[in-house]
Amino acid sequence: MKTLISLALLGTLSAGAAFAQQTTGARVDFEASTGPVTVQSVQPPLPNASDYDATVAQLDKNGDGVVVRAEVPESHALASEFRLVDTDRNGRITDAELAAWK
């Protein structure tokens, strides 16, 4: 029975190691006090990552220099985070507010 449990544990650890070696995200190398460290993200990239690079000029449909909720496409990341980005709660997002969101 001990051997069976040991084999099951070894199989689980091996599968975990194989999973941990899969890389899909960013890699960062830095020097820690204990030596070099590499951090590899296994999170897939966000499908809407480019939404976070949006500018007011791109979203401002009427050219008044601000973005209102109606100007944001429903599929855009800003659509669900509009109230969070509109820090002064005036219903309009400025360049400064949008830059702070990124």
Side-chain angles (χ1 to χ4, degrees):
M1 184 65 166
K2 258 185 175 178
T3 305
L4 184 59
I5 292 173
S6 296
L7 287 174
L9 181 59
L10 181 60
T12 303
L13 292 174
S14 297
F19 177 74
Q21 291 174 0
Q22 295 175 356
T23 58
T24 58
R27 176 186 166 138
V28 177
D29 296 311
F30 62 94
E31 190 71 31
S33 60
T34 56
V37 175
T38 299
V39 177
Q40 178 76 42
S41 172
V42 295
Q43 293 291 331
L46 289 173
N48 62 347
S50 63
D51 288 358
Y52 293 90
D53 292 329
T55 63
V56 167
Q58 292 169 334
L59 297 170
D60 181 18
K61 292 179 182 173
N62 64 4
D64 63 355
V66 295
V67 177
V68 296
R69 178 67 187 87
E71 293 174 313
V72 181
E74 216 32 63
S75 61
H76 198 282
L78 187 57
S80 62
E81 299 180 28
F82 193 92
R83 290 184 55 160
L84 174 70
V85 179
D86 181 18
T87 55
D88 61 6
R89 304 290 184 256
N90 67 355
R92 298 176 297 181
I93 293 177
T94 63
D95 281 318
E97 289 171 321
L98 194 56
W101 177 55
K102 297 175 186 177

